[in-house]
Amino acid sequence: MRKTFLFGVLVCSFLSLQAQKNTNEDPYTRPKMVVGIVVDQMRYDYLVRFWDKYENDGFKRMVREGFNCQNNHFNYIPTKTAAGHASVYTGSTPKTHGIIGNDWYDKVEDRMVYCAEDATVKSLGTESDAGLMSPRRMLASTVTDQLKLATVSKGKVIGISLKDRGAILPAGHAADAAYWFHGKDEGAWITSTYYMNELPKWVEKFNKSKAAEDYKKSWKPLYDIDTYTESIADNNPYEGAFAGEKAPTFPHDLPKLWKDNGEFDLLKSTPFGNSLTVDFSIAAIEGEDLGQDNITDFLAISFSATDYVGHRFGVSAKETEDTYLRLDQDLARLFSYLDKEVGKGEYTVFLTADHAAVEVPSYLESMEIPGGYFSKKEFIDPLNAFLKEKFGSDKLIKNLSNEQIFLDQALLKNLGLSSSVVEEAIATEVKNYKNVAEAYTGTAMRNQEFTHGLASRLQMGYNYKRSGDVLLVLDPGYIASSSRTGTTHGSGHAYDTHTPLLFFGKGINHGATVKRTEIPDIANTISALLGITFPSGKSGEPIQEVIE
């Protein structure tokens, strides 16, 4: 009996000590640096399709050492670049953060507006208007904003991308800087006076180094092209050639193509654009002393060249395969630098995409798989004729963009027409039109709650003040394009929503899950990891399995 009693006392003491130990543990992880990586237009299956050709220190390292969310999706429509970057970093959707596309029709200004345009600022690093940008059209805070607040601005935040929107929106409103690449005949990294009054010396030095010019060379396959067995034939009718090329085939002679393809802008449509992005990111880490103390810094990097390549060549092109194999090497180079300068195990990384992409519809057609092209003219002409017959005017539609119809509200008022009645009539009519799968009214988006399917995704992308009066969903595999080459994105179908989500580094578990995760979960997971306040528009949840 005495032995049993003593054993019980020892067990209770041990459990008490463990509880005390757990209570004393910090309720957060403090990496010296967080690196957020968005790969523009990366489908999840690129991780699997090219796996055997990836080397060990890029994508494979993230999977091997970190956590792989294999069933990660966008939970809203439209799956556009600006909306994707904003959603990744705000932990919300266009419904809340207001970035409903790359550009959209503004009902107040009565014109198309760009997601990052800002005429109140000035360009830095160029005399052109390419720097007239800021995050002011984004309506919610980002995880990067919350880090600035949590550290009373001691933690540095910098965004970098070839695209202005890929740098600006992730960096947030309170960032120290966002830099994007201005091509044409300049080939320089630029910013705006929203962030600073003059370029830092390290940026000026980088631009003067002519680092971009070093990539003015022939784009040849990284490996023997005959080993690119995950792709279709190099010469095929589903890819778009550069101006001046007779066929969209390797090698692509950049010096020869230079003048006809926008000079330095040409680099954006090659994997060299991603390599240049890593070069500049490494210069930023060094120039800003990122990750050199115990106050967490944040570097938001977006690799845009993958999107340009995809739009031109498509999902199954050898150029796309080569671009990802080269990106894998660029990631390994970035991680190696972080290991050396910040410290292995001292930084945290996540990698995802801003959207995925559909197979080239003309290629789908050749395979007898549903897919094709939606004609705006074949849609709008009969719709206007219908509106003329039913309501007496064929001028009721003010704008059709991003698969959204905007009505002329002033004209409706003058004619004594109810917007909701006209919306419903249009939605009912166009459901019978070719390649339109579904149509929903803005009235329904505001007054009903949709919990599943495409209607739910439309609602999560519907912003009360900015979105259209009738929202369209095209049939799977169909895109609104006049070109039969290259791919695009924007739908709520799985080929556009399924993207990779990888975490690795300090505070991250090793493992994988096939449980559904969603894009707004990312910022909230990082916020929980750091122990900071969630972004102001939070709709996602932290992914529990990811965090130690």
Side-chain angles (χ1 to χ4, degrees), residues 152-200:
V152 289
S153 293
K154 294 177 182 177
K156 287 187 177 181
V157 170
I158 294 177
I160 293 172
S161 175
L162 295 177
K163 296 180 180 179
D164 48 48
R165 56 188 179 270
I168 291 169
L169 300 175
H173 302 84
D176 295 274
Y179 300 104
W180 52 98
F181 186 69
H182 178 54
K184 300 188 184 301
D185 62 346
E186 297 183 46
W189 291 89
I190 67 172
T191 189
S192 81
T193 53
Y194 176 87
Y195 302 99
M196 62 193 73
N197 295 320
E198 60 182 12
L199 284 178

Side-chain angles (χ1 to χ4, degrees), residues 266-412:
L266 179 58
L267 295 182
K268 298 177 183 179
S269 295
T270 76
F272 302 141
N274 289 334
S275 300
L276 180 62
T277 301
V278 171
D279 295 342
F280 189 73
S281 297
I282 288 173
I285 296 169
E286 180 180 353
E288 297 290 345
D289 292 323
L290 300 182
Q292 298 306 304
D293 57 32
N294 291 323
I295 300 175
T296 304
D297 298 321
F298 204 120
L299 180 62
I301 305 172
S302 178
F303 290 106
S304 305
T306 43
D307 185 67
Y308 289 108
V309 170
H311 278 296
R312 180 175 296 278
F313 296 102
V315 170
S316 294
K318 294 191 186 298
E319 283 84 356
T320 297
E321 180 169 354
D322 190 70
T323 296
Y324 278 89
L325 297 180
R326 289 177 181 272
L327 175 60
D328 181 59
Q329 291 190 345
D330 282 324
L331 289 173
R333 179 161 62 97
L334 175 63
F335 298 155
S336 176
Y337 181 83
L338 290 168
D339 287 343
K340 180 181 177 182
E341 299 300 324
V342 180
K344 191 171 184 179
E346 293 295 333
Y347 60 92
T348 305
V349 180
F350 70 79
L351 181 148
T352 190
D354 56 342
H355 52 74
V358 64
E359 274 280 5
V360 180
S362 57
Y363 177 55
L364 292 177
E365 289 175 336
S366 74
M367 298 287 288
E368 300 296 331
I369 296 173
Y373 298 89
F374 172 83
S375 170
K376 184 175 179 180
K377 179 174 175 54
E378 290 180 8
F379 173 85
I380 200 69
D381 286 351
L383 179 56
N384 279 331
F386 164 79
L387 293 173
K388 175 74 173 177
E389 180 180 353
K390 187 170 182 65
F391 297 109
S393 175
D394 58 1
K395 307 296 184 184
L396 299 182
I397 295 176
K398 188 84 168 180
N399 180 274
L400 171 59
S401 55
N402 297 319
E403 283 78 65
Q404 297 187 20
I405 296 172
F406 294 81
L407 298 176
D408 188 330
Q409 295 296 332
L411 181 56
L412 290 180

Side-chain angles (χ1 to χ4, degrees), residues 464-505:
Y464 183 86
K465 293 184 177 181
R466 294 180 176 177
S467 295
D469 299 301
V470 179
L471 287 67
L472 308 175
V473 177
L474 303 186
D475 286 335
Y478 282 81
I479 63 174
S481 174
S482 58
S483 172
R484 293 181 63 83
T485 61
T487 188
T488 193
H489 47 86
S491 81
H493 299 302
Y495 48 74
D496 278 340
T497 69
H498 191 195
T499 56
L501 177 54
L502 306 173
F503 295 84
F504 96 106

Side-chain angles (χ1 to χ4, degrees), residues 219 240-245 248 252 254 257 261 266 269-270 312-313:
W219 176 17
F242 290 113
E245 286 186 324
H252 301 283
L254 302 196
L257 301 171
N261 291 274
L266 179 58
S269 295
T270 76
R312 180 175 296 278
F313 296 102

Side-chain angles (χ1 to χ4, degrees), residues 2-18:
R2 181 174 175 78
K3 289 182 179 180
T4 302
F5 173 76
L6 290 173
F7 177 74
V9 170
L10 288 171
V11 169
C12 288
S13 298
F14 174 77
L15 293 175
S16 178
L17 287 171
Q18 284 296 108

Side-chain angles (χ1 to χ4, degrees), residues 229-240:
T229 53
E230 293 73 26
S231 307
I232 59 178
D234 192 26
N235 193 5
N236 66 74
Y238 317 116
E239 301 175 16

Side-chain angles (χ1 to χ4, degrees), residues 15 23 33 61 76 113 139 173 206 260 269 280 305 325 332 336 351 378 393-394 423 438 443 447 474 500 509 524:
L15 293 175
T23 301
M33 187 175 177
R61 178 179 176 187
Y76 64 83
V113 298
L139 304 177
H173 302 84
F206 188 93
D260 291 336
S269 295
F280 189 73
L325 297 180
S336 176
L351 181 148
E378 290 180 8
S393 175
D394 58 1
E423 290 172 26
E438 299 181 29
T443 300
N447 298 326
L474 303 186
N509 278 327
N524 298 306

